Amino acid sequence: MRLFTLLCWLLCLPFAQAQVRPFDDIVDSGVLKAAVYEDFPPYSFQQDGQPRGVDVELAGALAEGLGFKLELLWVTPGEKLDDDLRNYIWKGHYLRPTLLADVMLRVPYDRDYANKRNELGELVNEQVVMFGPYQRERWQVVHDTRRLPTVDSVGVFRIHPIGVELESVPSFYLSSVFGGQLSGNTQHFPTSKAAFEAMQGARVDAVMALRGELDWLLFEAQDPALKAADNTYPNLGQPTWDIGMAVHEANRQLANAIELQIEEMVRDGRLQKIYADYGLRFELPGLYQDVQ
């Protein structure tokens, strides 16, 4: 009998799927469930037991603007963004099948990605709407001017060591550009923060990572000898991209309501202030640049 019960339970597991909350149910509950990545400063992290970060502040402002209380769902990134969208927006993780967010932050706002198809020609993320760009992100180099006064080109890393996060875009880029001439001076670390700390400890002369992460680390360090370089990156496929949000395709009404809130925050400067409070430079996403 116990074996029969266990088999029935196992067979039912794939169908233990969360139900997406319609907009009316969200309104009735008075709560907006927002998914943010855990331990990802300056965007979403906890400090002294309190949630902090740009995405946390933004989610709170959006919830307040819509008349909701905010409930944060701290999520761990999967191997691919497709996994995260499946686990937290439209299906649920097999270990937590009933945990779904109403909205997920820090999702690339990219038409090609949104229209990506599998080998059968089917849309990979057909159950997801990606919308609401609120940040333009880019790659950045920061250097210690005491050992490397200027970075006119990434070619200087033929002779100066630079730190990068292991298996990141900067790692692959600096290991391959210029026919691999920079690979010998490209040192790998478990995180961008660890690479930054290696620069502070004079083990490398510079670091390459997300601009937002480096802005935050510079803001925290308060060391005038550490400077952000103003240069381009030859042969880097996508040096800039926009960040937005995602909801289930059945929740376009929620997406529309959030988009109106984001536009209002851009126009009145509240969004820019959130970034400034964390020491980050704010760059308008292309959607807003096009209409100015």
Side-chain angles (χ1 to χ4, degrees), residues 52-112:
R52 294 200 64 208
V54 168
D55 288 353
V56 170
E57 303 276 357
L58 174 57
L62 293 174
E64 182 179 358
L66 294 172
F68 300 143
K69 293 181 179 179
L70 176 66
E71 180 180 333
L72 290 173
L73 303 182
W74 297 94
V75 302
T76 304
E79 292 186 4
K80 299 183 298 183
L81 176 60
D82 300 342
D83 299 332
D84 299 341
L85 295 173
R86 180 185 63 249
N87 291 338
Y88 305 115
I89 289 297
W90 64 269
K91 184 176 182 180
H93 194 280
Y94 71 95
L95 291 177
R96 297 182 296 175
T98 60
L99 179 64
L100 281 184
D102 302 317
V103 60
M104 184 171 183
L105 281 73
R106 200 134 299 270
V107 175
Y109 181 77
D110 182 271
R111 181 174 297 177
D112 290 339

Side-chain angles (χ1 to χ4, degrees), residues 25 37 61 87 98 120 126 133 138 170 180 184 191 201 222 229 244 260 265 270 272 279:
D25 289 357
Y37 287 112
N87 291 338
T98 60
L120 300 177
E126 65 175 347
R138 62 176 65 236
T191 63
Q222 292 296 307
L260 290 175
M265 292 181 69
R270 281 180 294 152
Q272 294 88 326

Side-chain angles (χ1 to χ4, degrees), residues 90-164:
W90 64 269
K91 184 176 182 180
H93 194 280
Y94 71 95
L95 291 177
R96 297 182 296 175
T98 60
L99 179 64
L100 281 184
D102 302 317
V103 60
M104 184 171 183
L105 281 73
R106 200 134 299 270
V107 175
Y109 181 77
D110 182 271
R111 181 174 297 177
D112 290 339
Y113 177 77
N115 293 325
K116 184 175 67 171
R117 296 179 180 271
N118 61 22
E119 62 276 7
L120 300 177
E122 303 166 330
L123 285 171
V124 174
N125 293 300
E126 65 175 347
Q127 299 194 61
V128 177
V129 173
M130 298 172 217
F131 71 102
Y134 61 90
Q135 177 192 351
R136 174 154 287 189
E137 184 62 281
R138 62 176 65 236
W139 299 110
Q140 179 72 58
V141 167
V142 165
H143 58 107
D144 190 323
T145 59
R146 289 164 291 211
R147 299 185 302 279
L148 179 57
T150 61
V151 181
D152 298 323
S153 161
V154 292
V156 300
F157 301 118
R158 292 185 177 95
I159 55 176
H160 288 274
I162 182 171
V164 296

